[in-house]
Amino acid sequence: MEGKDDNSNNNKSGNGKPKKYEVPGWTEKTIHPIVEESAFATLFPKYREKYLMEVWPLVKKELESYGIHGDLDLSEGSMTVKTSRKTSDPYCIMKARDLIRLLARGVPYSQALKIFNDDVNCDIIKIGGFVRNKERFVKRRSRLIGPNGTTLKAIELLTNTYIMVQGTTVTAMGTFDGLTWVRKIAEDCMKNLHPVYAIKELMVRRELAKDPTLAGEDWSRFLPKYKRRQIKKKKAKEQQQQAPPRPAQPQTQTQQKPNEGSQEGSGNNVEEKKAQPQQFQPQRQNYGNNNFNNRNATPDNKKRLSRREKEKRYTPFPPEPTPRIIDKQLASGEYFLSENKREARERTKKQQEKEMRNLPKHEEKQRKIEKSYTAPEEQVRGPLYNHNSSPSNTKSTKDTIHSIKSNLSNMTTKRKSPSNPEDFVLSKKKKE
């Protein structure tokens, strides 16, 4: 008992209070080497080879400061990190593993180096397996990035993370809370849920966190709630099947039943009738002008009826399969021809189709050429005076005849020129 009292007195100071525990400082003597060697390796794509060759000396220098060896193998396309006898922090190898993974995924060296900070972690989200269609996958991935990267920048500011979308992966760096939000947003976006809804929720949460009075309260009443408007086809069919059937309409009691008054005396028959349930009798409906059952129907209605009968006709046999290209070639005999003959046959077929297409144009061109060679029709001039002509025409012809006669009389009055050469010479001398 005395020994115990002595130990308890040693742990107390002179005032009777317990002594403060002092953490021993880290020196070279206190560092113990790691017994087992740990190593991690990762592959990188070929397009990253040039950048990694330029940056690797800086990476190696940074790893050596933590006592970790790094190797770059260009033949295999891999990066390896492993511990050594100088490694003091056992968790540094995990950070080095994350560093080479980030470099392989396209993160720049200056940003990837921040992984060695204690409050920074990384997460690589695989988004390639959510959508099978390639076009749909590209559309949803671009939705996550946004126009000119605005959506991605908004998520980075609200979650205090660094995000990079490369191929079929989303790389994120930041705190654990931010990484959980980034993973949720990325996966929801690939499930056809727009990131803007998560952005709105994060903005509300950031404003609520500023108020210290709401620190211990539930925030669900402040957060926006959204409902899906689009119903899937399967769910819609299930809802229709689960719906209760419509009850049958009872028969109207407007018409009085025959012999109802005669059976008033027999009470048993009336009670039996009351006990029997009333059966629903469907009434025939009039479809207006669509008299398909009428024998004197129009030919158009008959055609419609025949089409409907063909559509509704049930056959236990499946429809004939569409013939393949090989089946068509076997039927026409092209399958057994050589390649040269087949090409020549296709060439002639295309040429014939081209000629048939250009045939109307060729005929019209030929018609124009023939028209240019045909002589125009001559206009036959009729007599000066036509008996069948109108009086206005007769006046015009008389005037023309009168003018011709006057011209002839004037010509006779003029001196006639000598017909013989001698007369011409004599007449000339007289003038002189």
Side-chain angles (χ1 to χ4, degrees), residues 128-310:
F130 286 93
V131 186
R132 291 183 181 179
N133 192 357
K134 190 176 179 182
E135 292 179 0
R136 195 174 293 170
F137 169 75
V138 172
K139 191 176 180 181
R140 291 182 185 179
R141 187 181 63 180
S142 62
R143 191 184 294 167
L144 179 64
I145 296 164
N148 299 324
T150 51
T151 309
L152 204 67
K153 191 69 180 174
I155 296 165
E156 285 180 354
L157 292 170
L158 290 166
T159 56
N160 295 322
T161 55
Y162 170 83
I163 306 167
M164 186 174 187
V165 181
Q166 182 76 18
T168 57
T169 56
V170 177
T171 309
M173 290 176 63
T175 58
F176 278 114
D177 294 334
L179 293 176
T180 50
W181 271 105
V182 171
R183 178 173 277 277
K184 183 180 178 295
I185 292 165
E187 289 179 355
D188 288 347
C189 183
M190 299 314 292
K191 292 175 183 176
N192 202 17
L193 191 68
H194 206 281
V196 74
Y197 300 117
I199 289 167
K200 285 181 179 179
E201 189 177 343
L202 284 167
M203 289 171 73
V204 173
R205 283 178 180 276
R206 189 175 65 175
E207 292 298 322
L208 291 169
K210 293 177 182 178
D211 192 356
T213 57
L214 299 171
E217 293 185 14
D218 187 15
W219 292 353
S220 59
R221 57 199 172 106
F222 300 109
L223 299 175
K225 294 176 183 178
Y226 305 101
K227 292 182 180 179
R228 279 182 175 273
R229 291 183 181 179
Q230 188 177 2
I231 301 168
K232 291 184 179 179
K233 292 181 180 179
K234 290 182 180 179
K235 288 184 178 179
K237 286 182 180 178
E238 287 175 2
Q239 287 176 5
Q240 288 178 2
Q241 289 174 2
Q242 290 175 3
R246 295 179 67 183
Q249 295 179 358
Q251 188 178 3
T252 55
Q253 296 180 358
T254 54
Q255 296 178 356
Q256 190 176 3
K257 293 181 182 178
N259 301 327
E260 191 174 2
S262 62
Q263 293 180 359
E264 285 177 0
S266 60
N268 295 327
N269 293 333
V270 174
E271 287 175 0
E272 286 177 2
K273 284 183 179 179
K274 285 181 180 178
Q276 288 177 359
Q278 293 180 352
Q279 295 181 355
F280 174 69
Q281 295 179 357
Q283 296 178 357
R284 296 184 69 182
Q285 297 178 357
N286 294 324
Y287 292 98
N289 296 326
N290 299 331
N291 298 322
F292 293 112
N293 297 324
N294 191 3
R295 292 181 181 178
N296 299 323
T298 58
D300 294 336
N301 291 344
K302 285 181 180 179
K303 284 180 182 177
R304 289 178 196 166
L305 183 61
S306 63
R307 285 175 193 165
R308 288 192 178 187
E309 283 179 355
K310 285 179 183 177

Side-chain angles (χ1 to χ4, degrees), residues 41-59:
T42 185
L43 300 172
F44 59 87
K46 196 168 180 68
Y47 65 86
R48 293 288 292 172
E49 187 176 329
K50 188 178 178 182
Y51 179 76
L52 290 172
M53 284 174 66
E54 294 174 358
V55 175
W56 193 250
L58 299 171
V59 176

Side-chain angles (χ1 to χ4, degrees), residues 3-46:
K4 289 182 181 180
D5 295 335
D6 295 337
N7 293 329
S8 62
N9 292 327
N10 292 332
N11 294 330
K12 291 181 180 180
S13 61
N15 300 327
K17 295 180 180 179
K19 290 182 180 179
K20 291 183 179 180
Y21 178 75
E22 295 179 359
V23 179
W26 291 96
T27 58
E28 293 182 1
K29 294 180 180 180
T30 56
I31 294 170
H32 301 286
I34 295 171
V35 179
E36 292 290 334
E37 184 184 283
S38 301
F40 293 99
T42 185
L43 300 172
F44 59 87
K46 196 168 180 68

